[in-house]
Amino acid sequence: MADWLHKLIDEGVPEVIDRFGRWLLYPVFWLTTAILAFWFLSTGLVYGALVIAPPLILLLRARFHGLGRVSSALLVIAGLAALVPTFFLGKYKAAETGHTGLVLVGFLVFLAWGAAYPAMLDKFDERFQLTRPPGDSRRKLPDEERNQLAMLRVLLVKIVMATLAMLVVDATIVVIIGLLALLLRSHWSAAIAGVACLVESVAEIDGVNLVFKFEPLEIAAGLLAASMWWDAVKNPLWDRQARLAVGR
């Protein structure tokens, strides 16, 4: 009885959590992607396609070719396309009659999509890796069996989304800190960027004073960004020597 209970805890519980995460991830991602696609395509077919297509192409390439084999050019183009949804910030700030419900929904959709997209890249790359060994029925690969360059690229996408999240809430200083952390690519700079995101979400500098605030949207963006920077702190691939080892 005790052995059965230990096996259930060690194997069954993580499996349930993983499956629940997948069931939640896919609907959230595809729903938010559909909303963004409808919004941008309604503004113009060509313009909308240029915004929506690159991230989806990157996702499909990860699924059928592996994220580690995707060209750097496609990564850059997809990153630039992901910048466009920050137009929500312009509408949010420019609303003369207050924060309209439509812009608020759009902002939350952007945050949800920004959190789900890197997770989808990771899942699709893992599914590609699982299809390669014949007869392998596993649903999940341990980190040591994953393509290390692909995992590094997922982490980079997370960090880009973290920076975009802070750009959306107009946290200029934090965005600068994030860009510097991206250039340095060290654990200590990632930790500083994560702390800066948390502080910015609840406080701002007014002259020489530190003023605390409560803006739910900024708190949500700050928590999202901080969690992604925390992933960089925990991940050994973020270290410079590890990066050189995988050829990045």
Side-chain angles (χ1 to χ4, degrees), residues 21 24 28 51-52 54 58 68-69 85 94 102 106 126 150 155 171 187 205 215 230:
L24 185 63
V28 168
V51 173
I52 295 299
L58 177 59
R69 299 168 61 185
L102 179 60
E126 185 179 35
L155 182 57
H187 287 127
I205 298 176
E215 292 286 344
W230 178 241

Side-chain angles (χ1 to χ4, degrees), residues 118-192:
M120 285 292 294
L121 276 177
D122 185 50
K123 288 293 184 185
F124 272 31
D125 178 76
E126 185 179 35
R127 287 176 63 183
F128 167 76
Q129 298 296 327
L130 285 169
T131 59
R132 300 184 71 181
D136 194 337
S137 60
R138 291 179 296 175
R139 290 179 173 270
K140 188 172 180 63
L141 282 177
D143 288 348
E144 58 269 17
E145 294 185 30
R146 296 287 303 276
N147 182 289
Q148 297 300 295
L149 180 56
M151 293 185 69
L152 177 59
R153 285 178 163 180
V154 169
L155 182 57
L156 285 171
V157 172
K158 285 185 176 182
I159 298 305
V160 169
M161 292 301 173
T163 305
L164 289 178
M166 300 315 295
L167 182 61
V168 166
V169 296
D170 204 19
T172 307
I173 295 177
V174 176
V175 170
I176 293 173
I177 294 174
L179 291 175
L180 289 174
L182 273 170
L183 292 174
L184 293 172
R185 297 270 283 274
S186 64
H187 287 127
W188 64 266
S189 61
I192 291 175

